[in-house]
């Protein structure tokens, strides 16, 4: 017990040191006006000027009312697109909107980086490797991300420089163009068992409630614009908010669609919080539940037939096609991988997706994410704000799932109560969040196995975050 406590204290100290280093560097970068500033006469958002200051880069972002939001969603359903013939004007407007997003200037271009900032990033890279290798925090993610961070910041090595740097090639080949996230979703589908969700459909509400962190973060982004040196528009807000789902591939996908210039730090934040689930979630789980609630035993799930498991991904895909096609790339690849697994006639493909292909793509994707951990992209006000907002989004998502479980228990009979701990698994970190819920439950009752029950909201969270991404893209990306 003492060794475990010392280990937790050590990890906490390391995390605190990392945040302090980034905070000091970010504070310095805010004091030194650069990055997003366009001229010395630009008005900076503050509490004094909040009624008049404009967020730079937001001039072309449409103002979306509630009715416009509903109309945009309606016009992006598959049903509407099947019965409506797109006009040349509508096609041209959609192409122009997409081009405007991707034509945004790189805010980090031509930024002069002091040598001491590279030293900080090298130290952070080694800390990330240490957390993965020595402390066991998602080593499959953190070790390659840490090495990518180290290698890209080696002075004179040029591994992140185009057009021939290895890390530059990896990033542009599959991270920046959304290719690797799609393959990851296919692998996740081949690894995922939707049986717990099918057996207990009401746990889907917990996965939906966890998306509260995604949407609540939109308001947090607006508040951060009052900080000097920080400028976010609505496209940035949508991409940052997805971090709350604890889903790295989805975060990369949305950032690529709406905020390509901020994809690097958004990806790093999303994967970092995925890896730190065992540290972030337990305090909220213990704060928002009572000891009596933590020892609630849930009944064993009913057996789910092969037919149900095989039809589920097909029905999920059909609903996505009819109601929210912008989410179809993510959910479609998830459904494809899961169908290949459950149909049972292409076992070789299923094993390849879940093992060899998944491992290869995970290595490349993590190295590509680490390659973006450069000082000009990380040590500045906007990037530090993303890291803070991503943490807030993740915490709110965890609390949303926990509180929804408590709310549901008010209406459920005594013998069918939900252990609120499984509500924290509503985020998309599969199966990490489910394992954490099971571990915390067993701390209070070693015979209380919550893992399979927690997998229901966990896989629902994957679907929920993909739907949230589709809503954002349908609203603004179109």
């Amino acid at each position: 017990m003492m060794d475990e406590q010392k280990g937790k204290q050590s990890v906490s100290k390391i995390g605190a040191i990392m945040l302090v280093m980034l905070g000091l560097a970010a504070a310095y970068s805010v004091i030194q006006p650069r990055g997003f500033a366009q001229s010395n006469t630009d008005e900076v958002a503050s509490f004094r000027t909040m009624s008049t200051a404009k967020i730079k880069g937001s001039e072309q972002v449409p103002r979306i009312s509630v009715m416009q939001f509903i109309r945009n969603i309606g016009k992006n359903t598959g049903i509407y697109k099947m019965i409506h013939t797109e006009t040349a004007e509508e096609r041209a407007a959609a192409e122009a909107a997409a081009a405007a997003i991707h034509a945004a200037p790189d805010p980090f271009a031509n930024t002069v980086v002091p040598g001491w900032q590279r030293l900080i990033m090298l130290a952070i890279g080694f800390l990330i490797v240490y957390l993965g290798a020595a402390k066991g925090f998602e080593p499959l993610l953190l070790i390659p991300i840490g090495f990518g961070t180290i290698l890209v910041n080696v002075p004179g090595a040029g591994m992140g420089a185009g057009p021939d740097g290895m890390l530059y090639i990896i990033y542009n080949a599959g991270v920046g163009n959304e290719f690797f996230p799609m393959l990851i979703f296919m692998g996740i589908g081949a690894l995922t068992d939707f049986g717990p969700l099918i057996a207990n459909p009401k746990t889907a509400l917990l996965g939906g409630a966890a998306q509260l962190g995604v949407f609540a973060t939109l308001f947090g982004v607006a508040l951060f614009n009052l900080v000097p040196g920080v400028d976010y528009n609505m496209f940035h807000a949508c991409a940052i908010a997805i971090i709350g789902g604890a889903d790295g591939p989805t975060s990369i996908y949305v950032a690529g669609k709406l905020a390509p210039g901020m994809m690097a730090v958004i990806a790093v934040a999303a994967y970092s919080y995925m890896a730190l689930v065992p540290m972030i979630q337990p305090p909220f789980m213990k704060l928002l539940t009572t000891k009596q609630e933590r020892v609630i035993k849930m009944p064993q799930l009913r057996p789910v037939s092969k037919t149900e498991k095989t039809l589920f991904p097909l029905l999920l895909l059909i609903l996505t096609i009819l109601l929210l096609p912008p989410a179809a790339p993510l959910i479609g690849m998830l459904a494809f991988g899961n169908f290949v697994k459950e149909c049972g006639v292409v076992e070789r493909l299923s094993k390849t997706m879940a093992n060899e292909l998944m491992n290869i793509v995970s290595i490349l994707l993590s190295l590509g994410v680490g390659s973006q951990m450069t000082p000009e992209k990380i040590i500045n006000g906007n990037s530090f704000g993303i890291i803070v907002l991503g943490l807030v989004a993740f915490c709110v998502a965890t609390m949303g799932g926990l509180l929804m479980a408590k709310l549901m228990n008010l209406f459920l009979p005594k013998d069918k109560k939900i252990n609120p701990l499984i509500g924290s698994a509503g985020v998309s970190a599969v199966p990490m969040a489910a394992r954490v819920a099971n571990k915390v439950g067993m701390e209070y009752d070693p015979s209380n196995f919550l893992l399979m029950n927690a997998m229901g909201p966990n896989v629902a969270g994957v679907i929920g975050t993909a739907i949230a991404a589709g809503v954002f893209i349908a609203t603004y990306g179109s």
Side-chain angles (χ1 to χ4, degrees), residues 335-399:
F336 171 49
N338 190 251
F339 181 80
V340 167
K341 172 197 173 188
E342 299 296 351
C343 71
V345 297
V346 280
E347 188 175 355
R348 286 172 55 190
L349 297 184
S350 176
K351 288 183 177 180
T352 299
M353 290 178 183
N355 296 293
E356 291 85 358
L357 182 60
M358 185 73 163
N359 290 336
I360 291 171
V361 176
S362 294
I363 292 170
L364 295 176
L365 181 62
S366 299
L367 281 172
V369 169
S371 74
Q372 302 304 297
M373 292 276 284
T374 53
E376 68 274 12
K377 294 178 180 178
I378 300 299
I379 305 178
N380 61 69
N382 281 282
S383 296
F384 191 68
I386 290 173
I387 293 171
V388 173
L389 286 166
L391 178 60
V392 171
F394 186 72
C395 294
V396 173
T398 299
M399 291 187 287

Side-chain angles (χ1 to χ4, degrees), residues 35-64:
F36 284 77
Q38 297 184 6
S39 72
N40 293 331
T41 60
D42 281 341
E43 188 174 22
V44 178
S46 66
F47 284 101
R48 180 180 60 82
T49 63
M50 64 185 299
S51 61
T52 58
K54 293 181 179 180
I55 303 170
K56 302 171 185 63
S58 296
E59 293 81 4
Q60 303 302 319
V61 179
R63 297 178 65 87
I64 305 293

Side-chain angles (χ1 to χ4, degrees), residues 156-225:
M159 292 191 69
D164 300 321
M166 174 188 169
L167 296 177
Y168 176 89
I169 293 172
I170 289 174
Y171 181 81
N172 285 279
V175 182
N177 60 10
E178 306 150 20
F179 178 51
F180 290 164
M182 296 295 98
L183 293 180
I184 290 289
F185 254 75
M186 184 173 67
I188 291 173
L191 287 167
T192 299
D193 180 8
F194 284 109
L197 178 60
I198 298 171
N200 193 3
K202 63 177 175 287
T203 58
L205 294 174
L206 303 178
Q211 307 313 311
L212 176 66
V214 172
F215 293 97
T217 305
L218 296 176
F219 298 98
V221 173
L223 291 176
F224 254 77
N225 276 322

Side-chain angles (χ1 to χ4, degrees), residues 106-378:
D106 183 357
F108 309 112
N110 303 318
T111 301
V112 178
V113 178
W116 62 269
Q117 291 188 0
R118 287 199 177 277
L119 185 61
I120 287 179
M121 296 310 301
L122 284 170
I124 289 174
F126 280 108
L127 280 173
I128 293 173
V129 172
Y130 175 77
L131 287 174
K135 298 300 178 181
F137 282 105
E138 290 306 314
L140 295 178
L141 288 176
L142 289 193
I143 290 177
I145 288 177
F147 268 92
T149 303
I150 294 167
L151 295 174
V152 79
N153 285 289
V154 175
M159 292 191 69
D164 300 321
M166 174 188 169
L167 296 177
Y168 176 89
I169 293 172
I170 289 174
Y171 181 81
N172 285 279
V175 182
N177 60 10
E178 306 150 20
F179 178 51
F180 290 164
M182 296 295 98
L183 293 180
I184 290 289
F185 254 75
M186 184 173 67
I188 291 173
L191 287 167
T192 299
D193 180 8
F194 284 109
L197 178 60
I198 298 171
N200 193 3
K202 63 177 175 287
T203 58
L205 294 174
L206 303 178
Q211 307 313 311
L212 176 66
V214 172
F215 293 97
T217 305
L218 296 176
F219 298 98
V221 173
L223 291 176
F224 254 77
N225 276 322
L226 302 176
V227 178
V230 175
D231 290 306
Y232 300 131
N233 59 38
M234 200 62 197
F235 293 147
H236 300 151
C238 292
I240 295 168
I242 288 293
I243 299 173
D247 192 330
T250 305
S251 298
I252 294 173
Y253 181 78
V254 175
K257 293 286 187 182
L258 300 179
M262 291 188 170
M263 181 189 292
V265 68
I266 287 173
V268 169
Y271 274 100
S272 297
Y273 295 135
M274 282 177 64
L276 295 176
V277 164
M279 283 182 61
I280 297 173
Q281 286 198 320
F284 291 99
M285 297 164 73
K286 295 173 182 178
L287 177 67
L288 296 178
T289 60
T290 64
K291 185 176 180 180
Q292 291 74 21
E293 289 174 326
R294 293 175 212 141
V295 297
I296 292 176
K297 287 191 175 182
M298 299 182 66
Q300 185 176 1
L301 296 172
R302 70 169 179 84
V304 178
S305 69
K306 180 179 176 63
T307 301
E308 290 177 291
K309 290 186 177 183
T310 303
L311 290 177
F312 182 83
L314 296 179
L315 293 175
L316 179 64
L317 180 58
I318 291 171
L319 287 174
T320 304
I321 293 171
L322 293 176
L323 301 178
L324 197 61
L330 295 170
I331 292 182
M333 295 304 289
L334 181 73
F336 171 49
N338 190 251
F339 181 80
V340 167
K341 172 197 173 188
E342 299 296 351
C343 71
V345 297
V346 280
E347 188 175 355
R348 286 172 55 190
L349 297 184
S350 176
K351 288 183 177 180
T352 299
M353 290 178 183
N355 296 293
E356 291 85 358
L357 182 60
M358 185 73 163
N359 290 336
I360 291 171
V361 176
S362 294
I363 292 170
L364 295 176
L365 181 62
S366 299
L367 281 172
V369 169
S371 74
Q372 302 304 297
M373 292 276 284
T374 53
E376 68 274 12
K377 294 178 180 178
I378 300 299

Side-chain angles (χ1 to χ4, degrees), residues 405-429:
K406 292 167 72 74
L407 178 63
M408 291 172 65
N409 278 343
L410 297 177
F411 304 95
L412 292 173
K414 187 175 182 180
D415 60 333
K416 294 186 178 180
K417 297 287 186 183
I418 294 174
N419 189 313
L421 294 178
I422 72 169
S424 65
V427 297
S428 298

